[in-house]
Amino acid sequence: MNGCFITVEGGEGAGKSSNLEFVRRYLEQQGKQLVVTREPGGTPLGESIRSLLLDHRNSEITDDTELLLMFAARAQHLAEVICPALEQGQWVLCDRFTDATYAYQGGARGIPRQRIADLEQWVQQGLEPDLTLLLDIPVQQGLTRAGERSDPDRFEREQIAFFERVRAAYLEQARRYPHRYRVIDASRSLEEVRRLLDEVLAEWLAQR
Ligand code: TMP
């Protein structure tokens, strides 16, 4: 595969959406042909699965069902969007990927790491992001920034301890995979975060 696969991760209130937009513009200015997508979702089927996963009325979803739905959406996303784009030499910028599964279903829900790793191997067959930008922010600060949601989804209804486990698991992923992870201090002001992203992307592109 010739293209490049970049993922953006982060907890509640880390500014993921607006910073992803910044990364998109940065890469496009560098002349990269970009496909911007997200998980869970990214395909019609994946977006339907996303609706099931986020709907807070689906309180009966078990942890294993949640995990399998994440990977079902991912399998479709890889087949329909991500792999074809990479094979054509395009760059893929994805709002969350399997690191989110390790953080939410692994760290926060408590599903054993090996079970996730087995599904990852099956579905991805060794494909991993070339670069993962983790927007890291202390949980309370992130929740304050995110503010009150009018109709919080099934994940947003979780308690603070859940988000603490999400954050810890993301940081553990960053320690395990330093070759592809760049941790950005998202507790700083938007301008400072953008400056950090600018630096990280410039350095990473120069090494390629
Ligand atoms: P979003 O808020 O970034 O759009 O993501 C939707 C939710 O899905 C978010 O709360 C994190 C969660 N999620 C998982 O629990 N596992 C995953 O593998 C992914 C991709 C997302």
Side-chain angles (χ1 to χ4, degrees), residues 13-197:
K16 193 162 55 64
S17 308
S18 60
N19 286 312
L20 189 117
E21 184 54 24
F22 176 81
V23 173
R24 181 181 72 77
R25 278 203 307 273
Y26 185 101
L27 293 171
E28 281 177 351
Q29 276 163 14
Q30 304 294 314
K32 308 300 177 199
Q33 278 257 2
L34 262 195
V35 172
V36 183
T37 186
R38 70 169 177 182
E39 290 215 343
T43 64
L45 187 74
E47 291 293 327
S48 299
I49 295 174
R50 178 189 178 91
S51 302
L52 292 173
L53 282 162
L54 297 194
D55 189 339
H56 63 80
R57 290 168 304 181
N58 291 331
S59 54
E60 76 279 23
I61 295 184
T62 70
D63 293 352
D64 281 346
T65 305
E66 183 178 287
L67 173 67
L68 290 166
L69 285 172
M70 290 294 174
F71 271 103
R74 186 162 296 138
Q76 193 66 27
H77 196 200
L78 284 161
E80 228 181 282
V81 177
I82 298 176
C83 293
L86 294 175
E87 275 155 17
Q88 286 165 23
Q90 290 178 312
W91 286 40
V92 176
L93 176 60
C94 193
D95 185 342
R96 297 197 192 279
F97 194 62
T98 307
D99 292 298
T101 312
Y102 282 102
Y104 285 79
Q105 284 65 54
R109 299 269 193 239
I111 292 180
R113 185 176 184 88
Q114 191 54 50
R115 194 170 297 171
I116 301 174
D118 288 345
L119 288 168
E120 180 182 28
Q121 181 51 38
W122 179 21
V123 168
Q124 292 166 226
Q125 295 172 34
L127 177 76
E128 61 164 12
D130 296 294
L131 173 66
T132 298
L133 299 164
L134 172 60
L135 296 162
D136 178 57
I137 189 166
V139 172
Q140 189 56 63
Q141 189 183 348
L143 291 175
T144 306
R145 265 196 199 170
E148 287 283 307
R149 309 241 184 218
S150 55
D151 188 19
D153 67 33
R154 209 168 55 81
F155 291 100
E156 289 163 349
R157 284 168 194 247
E158 292 292 343
Q159 303 295 310
I160 191 161
F162 179 91
F163 297 112
E164 293 286 2
R165 295 195 295 275
V166 167
R167 183 182 186 212
Y170 267 133
L171 291 171
E172 166 64 19
Q173 285 291 95
R175 278 190 293 275
R176 270 178 190 254
Y177 304 109
H179 63 284
R180 68 174 167 91
Y181 254 91
R182 298 291 182 276
V183 182
I184 309 289
D185 178 0
S187 69
R188 306 210 194 172
S189 70
L190 197 57
E191 297 82 77
E192 280 180 278
V193 171
R194 301 227 155 139
R195 194 181 47 72
L196 290 173
L197 282 170

